[in-house]
Amino acid sequence: MSIALTPWPPALAEQYRRKGYWTDVPMTDILTRHQDERADHRALVCGERSWTYRQLEQDAEQLAASLLQLGVKSGDTALVHLPNVAEFYIVFFALMKVGVVPVNALFSHNRHELTAYAEQIQPTLAIVSSRHSLFTDGAFAQALSQQVPSLRHWLVDGDAEFGDSLAAAIAGTQAERAQLNQTDEALNWPVLSAAEVAFFQLSGGSTGTPKLIPRTHNDYYYSVRASADICQLDSDTVFLCALPAPHNFTLSSPGALGVFYAGGAVVLAAEPSPMTCFPLIKRHQVTMTSLVPPAVTLWLQAAADDRSALDSLQWLQVGGARLGESLARRIEPELGCRLQQVFGMAEGLVNYTRFDDSEWHVLNTQGRPISDDDEVRIVDEDGQDVPRGTPGALLTRGPYTFRGYYNSPEHNRVAFDQDGFYRSGDVVVMTEDGYLMVVGRDKDQINRGGEKVAAEEIENQLLALPEITQAALVAMPDDVMGEKSCAFIVTTNPKLKTLSIRKHLRTCGIADYKLPDRIEKVDALPMTHVGKIDKKALRQLIANQLQAQSQPQPEKDVLS
Ligand code: OOB
């Protein structure tokens, strides 16, 4: 059985095939294509461990074989929750080989997110890490298995008190390994159709429940190949993956998959701090990495002391949130590498500044689309196209932009227009020469330095407290993060403490980055003339308040 998918209209699908975007080759090809001349080239480094392309493919094959033995089958789904470790990619390729479709949750996700994903996809299998506090024992695994009865198998990376060992499933027995090594087609892998869903990407979202984005082999592989090409990757590329591995930026823009496709090497970092990353860059002679703007600020601070570790770094990609021009301008002189801006979304469309672009374009724009067939419309409030240079809402469709969230017919009716254009929720300006500048947002989301928080999701959790009668989460400006979140609440209990609200949100099991950075109690929320909460007024209110607080206080008159 295959995973339900809103298909592209046949005429567009035909066009994407005719133009060579969709090749009907499954993404397992990203590794298998290197099994001849590049098999012994370094593919992956994680701590003290490293893999050649041959070893990576063998590990993925063995894990795939072990999964078949467990009884999972093509068309099943899996919940994957791993940190930035090599096993993330081994699992990714193994699941693709057997046609099991995963949701790759972020490691910062918690009970609330994992439960929401599992309820949506009804997985047969979960692959998790005992490094996460949720899985130091089997309590949550047991609870989730009860709540989602399809969930029969648990594979655990690390010391497993519950489930089976992921390491053992990758290693296989000696006899199994020997058998895999003997023949080219050692096992009868299910025949994969590249038109089908390869995995679910995570939506940053603006709704109460996090939505899932089905990505097919055909559409995703095209974005990977085209990105590798635009970023001129080759077998000398050494990419440091420091942002979360499942994120669309680090996975495919061009990300680890782009680097594997080109035959280069991926080095994993646990997180993007200079303390972690600088030594890795030096040790492995990293040539390229991708960061969100707040991490760039930290890197600039650290490089001011000593930037010798960055000598090999040629390209820094920055995306996920808006990069201010003044920060952008400092990158080349202070980090000694070139900047590429990347504006993308898990739903599809990705834009890059190009290597031969003018300095102005690199510093001031978020690039232009990957494909000639990315159709971009910028419209006003009435849905009419605006002239170039005028801000408007960005709508898009194309060979790697999805056509519908998984099992969400109602939301899809608002998320797409009648011609199948996805409403990205971004407000952009297109320059005369077709470059995009992100100038705002018309979706109810906070972009916390690249991490996306759907306002409604947190508001629902706040409203679960009986003492809170109204709640609104809005963005507030922050020097480093760009934006942080502020919750305005109306409460019947004047003594309700911020601390107990936070405690409540923690017990709901939501990811830490979604916790409001600030909570403001108000008597009433401002309303628009159509009776909706006036979030614009709230954003203004908190921005003014922050500005007033940052003004120097008038000196006290010592005599009074
Ligand atoms: C990337 O993907 P998501 O799905 O986490 O977030 C997408 C949203 C965009 O709609 C936009 O609002 C914002 O993140 N965004 C940017 C940006 N890049 C993404 N806003 C301003 N400037 C940028 N450069 O964030 C993502 C996916 C692939 C590549 C890069 C980023």
Side-chain angles (χ1 to χ4, degrees):
M1 224 184 62
S2 55
I3 299 296
L5 169 79
T6 316
W8 282 258
L12 280 178
E14 196 272 324
Q15 179 184 326
Y16 299 153
R17 284 198 171 86
R18 185 165 32 84
K19 294 202 171 176
Y21 305 143
W22 292 4
T23 53
D24 287 309
V25 174
M27 279 196 287
T28 44
D29 177 65
I30 292 175
L31 290 186
T32 51
R33 68 195 296 269
H34 296 306
Q35 295 311 308
D36 294 330
E37 71 266 33
R38 266 195 288 267
D40 294 314
H41 191 287
R42 179 177 65 159
L44 182 59
V45 178
C46 176
E48 297 307 314
R49 305 178 297 159
S50 73
W51 281 255
T52 62
Y53 276 92
R54 189 194 316 279
Q55 290 165 333
L56 193 53
E57 171 65 9
Q58 283 175 344
D59 278 3
E61 277 207 331
Q62 181 53 58
L63 177 58
S66 302
L67 290 173
L68 287 181
Q69 263 179 13
L70 262 186
V72 301
K73 52 187 192 316
S74 177
D76 284 353
T77 58
L79 179 67
V80 177
H81 189 227
L82 293 172
N84 279 13
V85 288
E87 284 71 12
F88 173 81
Y89 301 111
I90 298 170
V91 165
F92 187 80
F93 284 105
L95 291 175
M96 276 197 298
K97 279 184 191 296
V98 291
V100 172
V101 178
V103 166
N104 300 308
L106 301 180
F107 205 56
S108 53
H109 284 154
N110 213 318
R111 194 157 42 82
H112 168 75
E113 290 82 14
L114 298 192
T115 307
Y117 295 141
E119 282 179 339
Q120 287 186 63
I121 63 164
Q122 300 285 314
T124 319
L125 166 74
I127 303 183
V128 301
S129 164
S130 63
R131 277 200 229 165
H132 198 283
S133 58
L134 269 183
F135 298 113
T136 45
D137 62 30
F140 175 63
Q142 199 183 3
L144 194 61
S145 298
Q146 263 162 20
Q147 203 168 334
V148 182
S150 59
L151 193 41
R152 289 189 301 274
H153 307 290
W154 287 81
L155 287 180
V156 185
D157 188 28
D159 298 330
E161 255 193 36
F162 62 99
D164 295 329
S165 155
L166 176 64
I170 294 173
T173 62
Q174 251 177 3
E176 285 166 347
R177 278 273 168 166
Q179 196 199 348
L180 274 184
N181 288 343
Q182 260 169 20
T183 45
D184 280 346
E185 303 294 331
L187 276 166
N188 285 329
W189 304 121
V191 180
L192 295 178
S193 161
E196 295 207 351
V197 181
F199 75 110
F200 291 103
Q201 197 39 288
L202 308 174
S203 155
S206 55
T207 54
T209 336
K211 296 272 181 285
L212 294 171
I213 304 159
R215 301 295 305 252
T216 64
H217 292 270
N218 267 339
D219 86 78
Y220 210 67
Y221 199 5
Y222 167 55
S223 77
V224 167
R225 293 191 314 271
S227 295
D229 196 35
I230 288 169
C231 300
Q232 298 175 9
L233 307 187
D234 59 26
S235 57
D236 292 330
T237 303
V238 183
F239 171 64
L240 184 76
C241 175
L243 298 174
H247 194 268
N248 212 49
F249 191 11
T250 39
L251 191 61
S252 66
S253 311
L257 295 185
V259 175
F260 291 143
Y261 170 74
V266 174
V267 177
L268 279 159
E271 44 82 31
S273 77
M275 213 169 60
T276 302
C277 292
F278 283 19
L280 287 170
I281 292 173
K282 186 172 179 161
R283 175 167 173 199
H284 301 291
Q285 293 292 290
V286 167
T287 60
M288 175 183 96
T289 191
S290 44
L291 293 179
V292 287
V296 174
T297 306
L298 297 179
W299 281 40
L300 287 167
Q301 279 164 7
D305 292 336
D306 179 9
R307 72 173 220 210
S308 59
L310 306 183
D311 283 353
S312 60
L313 194 64
Q314 294 164 12
W315 287 100
L316 176 63
Q317 299 182 308
V318 183
R322 197 179 149 71
L323 175 69
E325 197 256 358
S326 53
L327 200 58
R329 191 171 283 286
R330 293 174 55 193
I331 289 173
E332 255 186 66
E334 295 182 39
L335 297 179
C337 58
R338 289 183 64 193
L339 165 67
Q340 180 177 41
Q341 294 217 36
V342 188
F343 160 42
M345 53 200 75
E347 284 81 358
L349 182 72
V350 180
N351 304 273
Y352 295 98
T353 54
R354 305 302 205 265
F355 290 172
D356 51 2
D357 277 346
S358 75
E359 187 188 39
W360 184 87
H361 286 85
V362 173
L363 297 181
N364 293 283
T365 80
Q366 279 65 59
R368 63 179 162 88
I370 286 181
S371 176
D372 289 344
D373 284 73
D374 279 321
E375 297 174 75
V376 166
R377 287 187 62 202
I378 303 175
V379 301
D380 63 17
E381 278 170 8
D382 301 325
Q384 300 301 313
D385 293 299
V386 297
R388 295 210 170 182
T390 308
L394 168 68
L395 273 61
T396 185
R397 64 177 192 186
Y400 61 97
T401 295
F402 83 137
R403 304 288 299 205
Y405 291 104
Y406 183 59
N407 275 350
S408 310
E410 270 173 42
H411 183 57
N412 287 338
R413 273 193 281 279
V414 287
F416 292 83
D417 78 358
Q418 70 282 4
D419 299 317
F421 278 77
Y422 165 61
R423 300 180 205 274
S424 72
D426 292 310
V427 177
V428 302
V429 168
M430 187 180 273
T431 61
E432 285 301 330
D433 55 358
Y435 281 67
L436 296 176
M437 296 161 86
V438 185
V439 295
R441 193 179 319 133
D442 64 4
K443 54 187 163 190
D444 203 2
Q445 184 186 77
I446 290 97
N447 188 339
R448 202 176 175 278
E451 290 183 309
K452 316 299 176 339
V453 185
E456 192 185 323
E457 194 179 7
I458 305 311
E459 290 159 3
N460 287 347
Q461 304 291 339
L462 288 166
L463 290 169
L465 273 181
E467 297 142 295
I468 296 183
T469 53
Q470 280 186 296
L473 193 80
V474 297
M476 59 181 184
D478 182 81
D479 281 350
V480 175
M481 302 296 279
E483 288 173 16
K484 281 188 172 177
S485 63
C486 176
F488 284 93
I489 57 157
V490 179
T491 171
T492 50
N493 175 6
K495 291 198 187 123
L496 182 64
K497 294 233 164 37
T498 305
L499 205 67
S500 43
I501 300 174
R502 282 185 188 286
K503 215 167 130 194
H504 157 74
L505 290 175
R506 278 187 200 281
T507 30
C508 295
I510 56 173
D512 272 358
Y513 70 88
K514 296 182 184 172
L515 294 175
D517 292 288
R518 186 172 169 130
I519 299 174
E520 290 282 316
K521 283 191 252 177
V522 287
D523 293 338
L525 295 179
M527 293 300 201
T528 64
H529 60 278
V530 292
K532 282 172 48 175
I533 295 173
D534 189 348
K535 291 206 161 175
K536 200 171 162 199
L538 289 173
R539 283 193 293 271
Q540 197 57 55
L541 184 70
I542 188 65
N544 292 347
Q545 216 164 306
L546 290 174
Q547 201 177 19
Q549 279 169 9
S550 67
Q551 303 291 329
Q553 300 295 312
E555 277 183 37
K556 284 223 174 86
D557 187 342
V558 282
L559 294 176
S560 65

